[in-house]
Amino acid sequence: MEQRQKSELTKALILNESFKLFYENGFKTTSVDKIMKATKLTKGAFYHHYKSKKELGVEVISTHIQKRVYEGMIKPLYEEGNALELLENTFSGRLKSFSIYDKAHGCPMNNFINEIADEEQAYQIALKRIIEEWKAALVHLLERGQQEGSIIMTIAPKAIAIYLISAFEGVRGIRKLYNDDQILNDYMSGLSLYLTQLKA
């Protein structure tokens, strides 16, 4: 195996295991030692790729977490179809797709925001970039719906976008307190009722 390929595989292993450990145990309580134990690598291998745990944390946010949010909550908003149906299908469909593991641990992005976003500007920038991309997709879809006549003109797309993101992230966090999906079902019912109010 070429050295470059081996190096890339090592880095991918560190990223994958770190994301899992951060998600399950939190960022602060996951030490470099714990990451190395999970990967069965040496500290030398870690510091060959990353100057610090902070640098690793930023990359986990910018790769794994960004990809999760993009694939699940951003990309679907750019598909063709009725804007309100796309909104409901994207938000409700995403909640329905989560495994018991995902429901128990909440949203990785939201976990990072709550745990460390107020401590380092680097984390803030990486996390804010994801939120802004998500908000932009929602605004685009809402404005398209207005132009096509399926969404009322009196709404403010940016305000609605932030409301939808906040409600979704909130229920992801609240679900961690429960052992069943009733809270998610109630959220989806509320979402459906809310979206009917946006219909032109």
Side-chain angles (χ1 to χ4, degrees):
M1 185 184 297
E2 292 183 14
Q3 185 59 39
R4 183 179 173 184
Q5 186 180 9
K6 185 178 179 182
S7 180
E8 287 174 356
L9 288 172
T10 299
K11 189 173 184 179
L13 176 62
I14 295 170
L15 275 171
N16 291 337
E17 288 299 321
S18 297
F19 169 76
K20 185 179 177 183
L21 289 169
F22 294 157
Y23 190 28
E24 292 178 357
N25 306 314
F27 181 79
K28 290 180 181 178
T29 60
T30 302
S31 64
V32 171
D33 285 336
K34 288 180 181 177
I35 294 168
M36 293 305 92
K37 186 177 179 181
T39 59
K40 296 181 175 60
L41 296 170
T42 64
K43 272 194 175 181
F46 176 87
Y47 288 109
H48 174 73
H49 293 284
Y50 299 100
K51 294 176 184 176
S52 63
K53 193 177 86 166
K54 183 178 90 170
E55 186 178 64
L56 170 64
V58 170
E59 187 158 349
V60 166
I61 294 167
S62 301
T63 55
H64 285 56
I65 293 177
Q66 195 276 340
K67 182 179 179 182
R68 277 178 63 111
V69 177
Y70 178 79
E71 293 293 335
M73 300 304 299
I74 297 173
K75 185 179 177 182
L77 299 176
Y78 287 105
E79 294 177 2
E80 294 183 4
N82 179 276
L84 287 177
E85 289 179 6
L86 276 176
L87 276 175
E88 185 164 3
N89 291 341
T90 299
F91 281 76
S92 293
R94 185 63 171 159
L95 288 177
K96 292 174 183 175
S97 74
F98 289 126
S99 64
I100 296 296
Y101 172 84
D102 285 314
K103 291 171 184 175
H105 291 90
C107 172
M109 178 180 68
N110 203 21
N111 292 348
F112 262 93
I113 290 171
N114 289 324
E115 188 181 8
I116 60 170
D118 62 338
E119 296 182 8
E120 287 280 354
Q121 189 176 23
Y123 302 139
Q124 291 176 345
I125 292 169
L127 290 162
K128 194 187 294 182
R129 188 179 296 122
I130 301 171
I131 294 292
E132 289 299 316
E133 186 179 9
W134 189 2
K135 183 175 75 173
L138 284 164
V139 169
H140 170 80
L141 180 60
L142 290 162
E143 289 178 344
R144 176 169 75 77
Q146 287 179 315
Q147 292 165 6
E148 293 173 354
S150 61
I151 293 177
I152 55 176
M153 295 300 295
T154 53
I155 65 151
K158 287 183 181 178
I160 299 297
I162 289 298
Y163 176 77
L164 290 170
I165 291 170
S166 300
F168 182 85
E169 290 302 314
V171 82
R172 288 281 278 125
I174 293 169
R175 172 60 179 82
K176 293 193 285 185
L177 302 173
Y178 295 85
N179 294 319
D180 59 49
D181 290 341
Q182 188 57 51
I183 197 81
L184 298 183
N185 295 333
D186 289 342
Y187 165 84
M188 288 186 280
S189 295
L191 174 68
S192 185
L193 287 169
Y194 176 72
L195 293 179
T196 60
Q197 297 176 46
L198 306 184
K199 191 173 182 180

